[in-house]
Amino acid sequence: MALDDPRRLIPRTDQLLGLPAVRRARERLSDDVVRAVVREAQDRARRGEIAPGDVEPSVLAALDTCSASSLTPVLNATGVVVHTNLGRAPLSGAALDAVRTAGGYVDVELDLGTGTRSRRGAGARAALLAACPPARDALVVNNGAAALVLATTALSAGREVVISRGELVEIGAGFRLPELIESTGARLREVGTTNRTHLRDYAEAIGPDTGCLLKVHPSNFRLEGFTSGVEVGELRLLARAHGVPLVADLGSGLLVPDPHLPSEPDAASALEAGADAVIASGDKLLGGPQAGLVLGTPDVLARMAAHPLARAVRADKLALAALEATLTGGPTPVADALHADPDTLRDRAERLGAAVGAPVVAHDGRVGGGGAPGVPLPGWAVRLPEAAAPLLRAGRPAVLPRVHDHACLLDLRCVPESDDDRLRAAVQAALAALGAAEPVPGRAR
Ligand SMILES: *Cc1c(COP(=O)(O)O)cnc(C)c1O
C-alpha cells in the first residue's frame, strides 16, 4: 500500500473495539457480532464505498440497531388489541421491571427467612387470589392450553369429559379442543347438538365414568338464532349431586366483569355461579405474560397440582414475575387500548393524517385473541394507499397496518401516544418510498 493510500487511514480493529460506545455494545452483543460489524465497515472503506473517516460513525450506527434477538419491535396499527401474531398482550411497565429483576437469581421457590424451599410462585398466587376474591386457590401453568390439558388429565384420564357439542371448538391454528382433550387419554362424552344443549342432556350422560363436566367459552365465534346452552349456574347442582368437578374454560382471562365487554365471561362470576375450577389465559384480556391461570377450590386445584404433568407445564419465573406485576401494578397497555377515549383517538389520527396528507375514516378496532367476537371498538384510522402496507412493515420501526378493502388503514388505538412521532416518521418514509417507486396518478411530479 502506498504511503498516501487513503486506506491507511481506516481505523484499526483494536482502535474501534476500544471505543467506549463499542465497549458498551460488547456487553449486550456477542464478540462475533461486534467484530462482524467492525469488519463490515472497514471492508466498505477498503472498497471505497465510504471514506475512512466514516468508518467509526458507521460502526456506531450499525451497533445501535443491532440486537441480540431477531425479534423486531412492531407498532401495532391494526386496531386489534390482543394480536396473536404480535405476541398478544404487550406488558405493562411494572411487568417489564419485574421481568428484569426476575432475570437474575430470585427467591421464586425459596423462603429467605428460613432458608428452606417454599411454594413456587407464591406472589403470583396471592395476587390472583386478591384480584379474584371468589377464588380460594390458584395455580399458574405455561398457557391456557396447558391448563386445560392438566385439568382433563388430572380429573378425567381414562374417564369421560362431558361437554356440549356446541363447545367443541377450534381456538386457533392447530388447536382443536376435542383433539387436545382426547390426547390426554380422557374420553369425550358429547352431549346436545351444535346449536342447542339442555340440562337433561348433561343429566343423561353423567355417570360413574364421568371425570368432569367441562364448559368451554366459544371465544372466537357467536352462535345466533335458535340456540340454547346450559350455564355454569344450572350445571352446579348436577355436578354437586354426582360429586363431579365442574370446570369452565373461559379463555380470555377477565378476572372480574368489565363493563366495556358485557358479554365476555369472567372468572369471579363463573366461580360464584358454581364452577370448581376456571381456566384462563394470562396474555389475553388480563394483559399479562403468556400463562395459564387456574382459579378454584383447594381440592380440585390440589389434584391438578399433584399430578406429574403439573411439573411439565409449570410456569417460568419470568412469567410468574410479570403476572404478579400485571395484577398489582398500574393499568396495562391492553386495558389502555380497550378503554381508549374515541375523541383522543380521533385527534391523534387527524394530526397524523394532516402531517402525511391522508384522510381519516371511521374504523372499528377489535379485541382479538379470540375474545369478544363481533364486539366493535369504535375509533378512527388514517387511510393510505394499499401499496404502503409492505413498505410500512419493512420499515424501522416496523408498522403493522390493517389492509382492508384495498386500503392501508392505520388505527392508533394500540399505538402508545408516546410513539406518535415515530409512527409519523415511519409513515412519511413509507410514502416517500412509495412516491419514488410509482407516480401517484393525477399528482404533478
Ligand atoms: C385462547 C383459549 C385457550 C388457549 O389458551 P392459550 O393461553 O392460548 O394456550 C383455551 N380455551 C379458550 C376458550 C381460549 O379462548
Side-chain angles (χ1 to χ4, degrees), residues 63-410:
L63 288 176
D64 234 19
T65 60
C66 248
S67 151
S69 159
S70 65
L71 292 177
T72 306
V74 177
L75 293 178
N76 174 10
T78 61
V80 179
V81 179
V82 179
H83 199 301
T84 298
N85 301 147
L86 293 180
R88 291 199 181 153
L91 294 182
S92 66
L96 289 171
D97 287 347
V99 166
R100 209 165 160 92
T101 302
Y105 292 122
V106 279
D107 57 346
V108 65
E109 221 174 292
L110 180 79
D111 180 336
L112 283 171
T114 61
T116 55
R117 183 168 165 201
S118 70
R119 181 177 184 144
R120 185 181 175 87
R125 175 174 173 273
L128 279 169
L129 295 182
C132 181
R136 286 161 52 219
D137 201 358
L139 181 68
V140 183
V141 296
N142 198 28
N143 59 14
L148 190 61
V149 166
L150 180 59
T152 43
T153 307
L155 305 176
S156 285
R159 305 170 73 194
E160 290 180 348
V161 175
V162 179
I163 182 170
S164 160
R165 290 196 169 88
E167 297 173 10
L168 296 172
V169 294
E170 177 169 310
I171 308 281
F175 179 1
R176 292 185 157 177
L177 212 99
E179 289 173 1
L180 193 79
I181 294 171
E182 287 184 315
S183 76
T184 69
R187 294 190 305 278
L188 281 180
R189 179 69 188 262
E190 304 173 15
V191 300
T193 60
T194 306
N195 57 331
R196 288 171 73 84
T197 302
H198 307 284
L199 187 57
R200 64 167 187 278
D201 296 321
Y202 286 93
E204 282 162 15
I206 204 165
D209 244 13
T210 307
C212 68
L213 297 187
L214 179 62
K215 279 288 295 173
V216 176
H217 177 60
S219 11
N220 51 5
F221 71 101
R222 275 191 311 188
L223 211 52
E224 282 175 29
F226 186 55
T227 64
S228 73
V230 187
E231 294 309 316
V232 169
E234 302 168 76
L235 285 175
R236 98 188 280 168
L237 287 179
L238 188 63
R240 294 289 178 281
H242 289 82
V244 169
L246 174 56
V247 179
D249 178 10
L250 302 186
S252 76
L254 284 185
L255 296 182
V256 293
D258 181 336
H260 289 80
L261 302 169
S263 54
E264 194 62 25
D266 67 280
S269 305
L271 290 168
E272 271 163 0
D276 297 293
V278 163
I279 292 170
S281 297
D283 54 358
K284 293 181 182 171
L285 289 178
L286 190 65
Q290 177 184 304
L293 317 179
V294 192
L295 299 151
T297 61
D299 51 327
V300 169
L301 266 69
R303 283 173 70 187
M304 292 176 62
H307 193 281
L309 188 60
R311 174 62 180 77
V313 296
R314 84 171 182 193
D316 162 44
K317 64 175 176 174
L318 302 181
L320 290 169
L323 177 63
E324 179 180 359
T326 298
L327 293 163
T328 59
T332 64
V334 164
D336 287 345
L338 280 177
H339 305 150
D341 170 37
D343 292 336
T344 308
L345 288 176
R346 182 176 201 161
D347 286 348
R348 293 172 57 204
E350 275 171 355
R351 266 201 305 277
L352 175 61
V356 304
V360 170
V361 296
H363 181 252
D364 287 342
R366 282 182 296 126
V367 173
V375 176
L377 302 173
W380 307 91
V382 174
R383 196 179 68 208
L384 304 177
E386 185 176 0
L391 295 165
L392 285 166
R393 290 197 304 270
R396 294 292 177 272
V399 177
L400 186 68
R402 173 169 186 231
V403 175
H404 180 67
D405 217 2
H406 304 297
C408 167
L409 301 167
L410 299 170

